[in-house]
Amino acid sequence: QGEPVRVLVTGAAGQIAYSLLYSIAKGDVFGKDQPLILVLLDITPMMTVLEGVVMELQDCALPLLREVIPTDKEEVAFKDLDIAILVGSMPRREGMERKDLLKANVKIFKSQGAALDKYAKKTVKVVVVGNPANTNCLIASKSAPSIPKENFSCLTRLDHNRAKSQIALKLGVTANDVKNVIIWGNHSSTQYPDVNHAKVNVKGKEVGVYEAIKDDSWLKGDFILTVQQRGAAVIKARKLSSAMSAAKAICDHVRDIWFGTPAGEFVSMGVISDGNSYGVPEDLLYSFPVVIKDKTWKFVEGLPINDFSREKMDLTAKELTEEKETAVEFLSSA
């Protein structure tokens, strides 16, 4: 079976991790014959809860799980990592300004970036889930100068899966029949779910989504709004944020980094914008369509961008630029 892969999950006592850890530990992400060491980081007050999570992982009696290491110490958590999944972040409280939220998170991700820089393997792949995910990811990367920028990504796969699923539901096909939807930009309500290049398999024939749905006003209106605001809709209904679907999206994202994307398909990931051909400013952590091979992503090039898309892509870039400027200010004082 070879060497175990060493995986860190932060915010490990939280509800996304509760859905995520079982999927990873049973082999859904790194394969059915890849042994694992799971490192679980959370804040000191959560250590008792985390002990309960460790007990449950033990009680799952999983053959791939070689070791589980719960900790509240960064020097333990970040040591020799192959993969870091940074789920833990400061959640937004009632009446909290976005600026306050950014400030609290800059502190966390500066510290975790520095710990990655100091303790993790230089080949570590870092996936940021905790919000504001794009900017948190950029801060972590800037705080880990010895790890390639390309090794950092943030989760927009949940938005990608939401878009895919809405199209499938509308057409009465399975989600698997829909491919190449794109999420551009920020993991926020300014994100742009784009199906101009998406394809759907209808009765054995591959057609463009616009052609298949034949309802442009829905595709340019309610479809986009539904995907943008889906997270809030789930919270309104469940009184809790979307944990099951977030955990599934994290598994998809990490599995694609590890094993690559299927031929002819691309996926959405927040990555560093340097060298993109879509007019997105450099040095932003922005969601793009990518293909992955040998654990390395590349931008999908040459997709034509219409005026409707251009405007939406620029709007979310503007939000990310503002977020970045605020965060970088805090970074120097953090």
Side-chain angles (χ1 to χ4, degrees):
Q1 285 194 328
E3 278 296 291
V5 170
R6 194 175 182 97
V7 185
L8 166 67
V9 176
T10 73
Q15 63 149 358
I16 291 177
Y18 193 71
S19 288
L20 174 65
L21 291 167
Y22 175 63
S23 293
I24 294 174
K26 80 175 187 347
D28 286 359
V29 178
F30 298 100
K32 299 293 179 200
D33 50 8
Q34 175 59 63
L36 301 165
I37 295 169
L38 275 183
V39 189
L40 310 180
L41 177 69
D42 215 311
I43 56 176
T44 310
M46 296 304 285
M47 282 304 106
T48 312
V49 176
L50 195 54
E51 283 301 333
V53 176
V54 173
M55 287 185 231
E56 282 208 72
L57 280 167
Q58 290 167 346
D59 299 349
C60 287
L62 295 159
L64 296 173
L65 198 52
R66 290 298 157 85
E67 200 180 348
V68 182
I69 303 165
T71 185
D72 56 359
K73 293 178 177 57
E74 286 183 341
E75 62 274 19
V76 176
F78 288 90
K79 187 119 188 70
D80 297 333
L81 293 179
D82 294 299
I83 293 249
I85 305 172
L86 309 183
V87 181
S89 66
M90 169 70 87
R92 193 165 186 168
R93 310 244 182 266
E94 284 288 323
M96 197 183 205
E97 290 292 317
R98 197 168 170 82
K99 240 184 148 125
D100 301 330
L101 183 71
L102 262 175
K103 190 169 191 172
N105 280 300
V106 165
K107 202 174 159 203
I108 294 167
F109 286 87
K110 179 183 183 180
S111 177
Q112 294 190 351
L116 282 161
D117 202 57
K118 190 169 175 188
Y119 301 111
K121 292 180 180 172
K122 298 306 172 198
T123 53
V124 65
K125 303 293 184 197
V126 184
V127 180
V128 177
V129 178
N131 285 318
N134 299 58
T135 299
N136 288 346
C137 187
L138 189 65
I139 295 300
S141 172
K142 285 185 181 298
S143 307
S146 71
I147 295 168
K149 290 179 189 179
E150 296 72 34
N151 290 22
F152 287 81
S153 61
C154 81
L155 188 77
T156 55
R157 186 59 167 267
L158 178 52
D159 310 302
H160 179 101
N161 287 349
R162 285 166 171 163
K164 203 171 159 163
S165 174
Q166 287 302 311
I167 298 297
L169 286 165
K170 185 83 168 172
L171 288 168
V173 298
T174 70
N176 237 16
D177 291 320
V178 182
K179 69 175 192 184
N180 298 352
V181 304
I182 300 168
I183 304 296
W184 297 99
N186 199 0
H187 173 63
S188 74
S189 59
T190 68
Q191 62 172 268
Y192 170 43
D194 176 8
V195 291
N196 283 294
H197 313 285
K199 301 266 186 277
V200 60
N201 191 323
V202 184
K203 301 190 178 88
K205 194 166 154 270
E206 198 170 82
V207 285
V209 165
Y210 269 84
E211 190 192 335
I213 285 187
K214 300 184 178 63
D215 183 347
D216 291 15
S217 68
W218 181 78
L219 284 169
K220 289 184 166 172
D222 285 350
F223 162 70
I224 290 175
L225 285 171
T226 299
V227 177
Q228 287 175 331
Q229 295 167 9
R230 189 67 159 188
V234 171
I235 290 177
K236 190 165 185 268
R238 281 196 78 226
K239 313 289 178 268
L240 291 164
S241 67
S242 39
M244 178 179 20
S245 52
K248 158 63 165 61
I250 295 164
C251 289
D252 290 347
H253 178 118
V254 177
R255 188 173 47 255
D256 284 346
I257 289 175
W258 211 249
F259 292 109
T261 44
E265 282 192 42
F266 49 76
V267 295
S268 307
M269 267 169 53
V271 294
I272 194 72
S273 61
D274 299 3
N276 80 88
S277 60
Y278 294 105
V280 176
E282 303 271 296
D283 198 40
L284 286 184
L285 215 294
Y286 187 101
S287 181
F288 287 92
V290 299
V291 289
I292 307 166
K293 194 183 171 193
D294 302 326
K295 299 189 173 64
T296 307
W297 59 265
K298 284 192 172 68
F299 296 119
V300 174
E301 299 286 2
L303 299 172
I305 304 296
N306 60 30
D307 293 345
F308 178 82
S309 295
R310 181 76 266 161
E311 191 181 324
K312 296 225 173 309
M313 288 163 69
D314 290 347
L315 186 77
T316 190
K318 182 172 178 285
E319 181 183 59
L320 278 171
T321 304
E322 287 163 9
E323 256 184 46
K324 173 185 137 174
E325 283 166 0
T326 309
V328 169
E329 253 171 67
F330 291 139
L331 189 58
S332 46
S333 61

